[in-house]
Amino acid sequence: MCGVHSMNRISSDDAEIGYTVLGNGPALILLHAFPATHELWLPAAQFLLTRYRVIIPDLRGHGASSAGQGVATMTKHASDVMKICEAQRIERAVFAGISIGGYILFELWRRYRERVAALILCNTRAQPDTPEARAARLRSAEDVLGRGTEPFVESMIPKLLGNTTRETRPDLVDAARRMMLKMLPKSLSQVQQGLAERQDSVPTLKTINVPTLVLAGDEDQIATLSDAELMRSNIPGAQIRVLPRAGHYGIFEQYENAGKLIREFVDTLPRN
């Protein structure tokens, strides 16, 4: 689906972060979902790189990026993204994030909002884990250390990919599985702990005063349409678009539709 591309590398605190840069123009930084890699964005990115400089990191603990020491918190992830901006000499950018990528964007907004020109919140939610979800996450963080990543990845596929994709696109299911299996057990555990610790971002929503697009998948069981609507109704002036026949990895499952919707949104932003 996509050609070979080279990875840039930077040190961020105690981690090595890999990221890829495609195209030229205003900067567009795309953050993938857990437990995938930057490849989740590559098919949709093809619709963006003709006009934009598209930067896609492997988040800390995923793909080519190491996890560093201890819990991979949203603060650490946000700091990693800022290090990439410094390395690429980016003052302000448009940021898009899927799932954990969205949680990182809320943290980025709280800490570095002057660097954010616009936000694209994809298949994500502002609420923290419920106590039950948190306990389940911490159990899986423990479990993966003993059993390896495969049982976890297999259990997640039905939750991450929509029914339509699982029934009609075995190639996409295989590609998603391959991406997820690149994660080391210890890294997966550190990232899960960070996800369990993330703060409630609902109060943050009303402070967002840059153009914002909320993208949801109509088959997403993890970040539901009502989660998307909560973000849209609390972020002043936010737009919402729904991807049909798409689950939690909707940007990958319906990459053409997603790529065009994102392109449409970023093309309307003021060029500075």
Side-chain angles (χ1 to χ4, degrees), residues 254-270:
Q254 294 291 334
Y255 56 87
E256 189 170 341
N257 195 351
K260 287 176 177 169
L261 285 172
I262 292 170
R263 174 67 188 254
E264 214 169 88
F265 173 73
V266 288
D267 280 355
T268 64
L269 297 172

Side-chain angles (χ1 to χ4, degrees), residues 22-227:
L22 306 164
N24 290 296
L28 191 50
I29 298 173
L30 311 178
L31 308 181
H32 64 73
F34 166 79
T37 71
H38 74 283
E39 295 165 88
L40 201 69
W41 270 111
L42 288 178
Q46 306 307 310
F47 295 89
L48 305 167
L49 52 76
T50 51
R51 190 175 179 188
Y52 298 94
R53 174 164 46 137
V54 180
I55 297 166
I56 324 176
D58 274 346
L59 301 178
R60 173 179 288 250
H62 298 72
S65 297
S66 63
Q69 297 302 309
V71 178
T73 60
M74 298 308 122
T75 309
K76 288 182 186 176
H77 289 300
S79 167
D80 297 339
V81 175
M82 277 300 112
K83 284 274 182 11
I84 292 170
C85 289
E86 282 159 29
Q88 289 287 314
R89 297 189 170 79
I90 294 165
E91 293 279 312
R92 284 180 93 217
V94 176
F95 292 89
I98 310 169
S99 192
I100 186 178
Y103 311 152
I104 296 165
L105 294 187
F106 294 134
E107 190 63 29
L108 211 61
W109 178 257
R110 287 189 284 266
R111 287 171 184 271
Y112 312 104
R113 66 186 62 181
E114 69 286 351
R115 312 295 288 271
V116 179
L119 289 170
I120 302 163
L121 300 165
C122 313
N123 300 89
T124 193
R125 54 208 301 267
Q127 311 92 306
D129 281 349
T130 61
E132 300 74 31
R134 191 166 186 268
R137 216 186 265 287
L138 293 173
R139 270 198 308 278
S140 77
E142 189 61 39
D143 190 48
V144 77
L145 296 174
R147 297 175 65 204
T149 55
E150 213 161 318
F152 176 75
V153 167
E154 288 309 323
S155 74
M156 287 304 288
I157 283 174
K159 298 174 188 159
L160 295 172
L161 299 167
N163 283 337
T164 306
T165 302
R166 296 200 318 278
E167 284 165 15
T168 62
R169 294 295 305 267
D171 55 324
L172 291 182
V173 177
D174 286 345
R177 180 186 283 113
R178 274 199 304 279
M179 256 181 256
M180 292 154 76
L181 288 171
K182 287 182 180 172
M183 212 166 176
L184 299 170
K186 187 166 189 286
S187 302
L188 198 147
S189 180
Q190 288 166 276
V191 173
Q192 276 285 55
Q193 291 172 58
L195 283 163
E197 271 185 23
R198 76 183 189 278
Q199 73 180 77
D200 182 0
S201 292
V202 175
T204 303
L205 298 175
K206 289 194 188 310
T207 70
I208 296 173
N209 59 359
V210 292
T212 302
L213 173 66
V214 175
L215 264 187
D218 67 353
E219 296 179 10
D220 190 343
Q221 307 166 40
I222 295 176
T224 62
L225 293 179
S226 66
D227 294 331

